[in-house]
Amino acid sequence: MAKNTSLYFRIVEGRNLPAKDSGTSDPYCIVKVDNEVVARTATVWKNLNPFWGEEYTLHLPMGFHSLSFLVMDEDTIHDDVIGKITLSKEAIGSQAKLDSWMNLTRVDPDEEVQGEIHLSLELLRDTKKSSLRCQVIEADLAPRDISGTSDPFGRVIFNNHSAETSIIKKTRFPHWGETLELELDAEELSEEGTVTVEVWDWDMVGKNDFLGKVTPLLEGWFRLLPLGNNEADAG
């Protein structure tokens, strides 16, 4: 594949999509290059066999890894993921033209989270008490939809202890610069335990949305991971 690649593609139509809203759906597609949303089709209202017929030309960056097409169901509060197709850089480069129906893979919305978080960890010990100090510095979060913003906050968890940062409104690039400290019992230091840092999107209505988690060591940038893998066929 050339260093600078232009890719022409046409999102034609979908068929036999699962119903998300009282027997129907309001489907649209978003296109991602790695973590970044680069295109969005129009929404086809109340239709399980939508026709989009939209054409795009993308200039793919040299170091990209994959191109993903996600079919979404538009809702008033929170859009649902119907399914997705992911094409690797190698798959795209191995053929000059691809024109066919492709099966969507069913995806848990929590599988679509990606990004990085900047953390620093320190274990403090003295004769009276011990504590785990976590500095939650900043994050670079992948957008969950075309609007590209969230209301993120961080949560540090160790055994039965947890602490949360403040919520930063409407950003993909939160800068907290906060230090969270968990007081630990002496016996906890001799037990095996894992520090987990989670990032959530705060919502005023309904439950908060999961944005990713990491099990960090010492200090640095860490790639956020999803909750788990629950893929199945979605039509």
Side-chain angles (χ1 to χ4, degrees), residues 154-200:
R155 177 183 295 152
V156 180
I157 303 168
F158 181 80
N159 292 346
N160 295 321
H161 307 280
S162 66
E164 296 181 355
T165 69
S166 58
I167 299 165
I168 299 182
K169 298 290 186 70
K170 299 186 184 305
T171 182
R172 271 184 54 207
F173 308 101
H175 184 92
W176 291 287
E178 297 182 24
T179 299
L180 305 178
E181 193 163 319
L182 305 179
E183 292 193 7
L184 307 177
D185 298 328
E187 58 269 18
E188 289 183 276
L189 297 178
S190 60
E191 299 173 354
E192 289 190 5
T194 301
V195 180
T196 301
V197 179
E198 300 175 344
V199 182
W200 292 82

Side-chain angles (χ1 to χ4, degrees), residues 21 28 73-80 145 147 201-209:
D21 309 312
Y28 66 92
D73 171 44
E74 184 164 335
D75 284 325
T76 304
I77 297 176
H78 184 57
D79 296 352
D80 297 317
D145 52 41
S147 66
D201 171 32
W202 176 84
D203 282 327
M204 182 179 293
V205 179
K207 65 183 183 68
N208 297 330
D209 297 317

Side-chain angles (χ1 to χ4, degrees), residues 112-128:
E112 292 306 307
V113 297
Q114 290 177 333
E116 295 182 312
I117 188 167
H118 188 187
L119 304 169
S120 175
L121 285 180
E122 185 180 6
L123 184 61
L124 306 175
R125 302 171 184 253
D126 60 33
T127 56
K128 295 182 178 179

Side-chain angles (χ1 to χ4, degrees), residues 26-182:
D26 301 315
Y28 66 92
C29 288
I30 59 176
V31 184
K32 284 186 176 183
V33 176
D34 293 335
N35 300 336
E36 192 72 27
V37 178
V38 295
R40 182 200 195 280
T41 70
T43 300
V44 179
W45 303 101
K46 301 186 183 306
N47 199 317
L48 300 181
N49 299 281
F51 180 84
W52 293 288
E54 298 191 19
E55 301 178 2
Y56 302 87
T57 299
L58 283 181
H59 299 286
L60 297 172
M62 182 175 60
F64 88 100
H65 295 94
S66 64
L67 180 69
S68 298
F69 300 86
L70 287 85
V71 180
M72 310 289 293
D73 171 44
E74 184 164 335
D75 284 325
T76 304
I77 297 176
H78 184 57
D79 296 352
D80 297 317
V81 183
I82 293 175
K84 76 171 181 177
I85 299 163
T86 298
L87 300 174
S88 67
K89 179 180 180 180
E90 292 72 25
I92 295 170
S94 65
Q95 47 194 320
K97 184 177 181 181
L98 174 66
D99 184 2
S100 66
W101 286 92
M102 302 182 73
N103 286 334
L104 293 172
T105 299
R106 192 180 302 279
V107 180
D108 188 304
D110 291 337
E111 291 302 305
E112 292 306 307
V113 297
Q114 290 177 333
E116 295 182 312
I117 188 167
H118 188 187
L119 304 169
S120 175
L121 285 180
E122 185 180 6
L123 184 61
L124 306 175
R125 302 171 184 253
D126 60 33
T127 56
K128 295 182 178 179
K129 68 173 185 176
S130 298
S131 61
L132 176 70
R133 180 178 293 170
C134 180
Q135 187 180 10
V136 184
I137 303 169
E138 57 187 324
D140 180 350
L141 305 174
R144 294 196 64 145
D145 52 41
I146 199 67
S147 66
T149 64
S150 297
D151 301 322
F153 68 92
R155 177 183 295 152
V156 180
I157 303 168
F158 181 80
N159 292 346
N160 295 321
H161 307 280
S162 66
E164 296 181 355
T165 69
S166 58
I167 299 165
I168 299 182
K169 298 290 186 70
K170 299 186 184 305
T171 182
R172 271 184 54 207
F173 308 101
H175 184 92
W176 291 287
E178 297 182 24
T179 299
L180 305 178
E181 193 163 319
L182 305 179

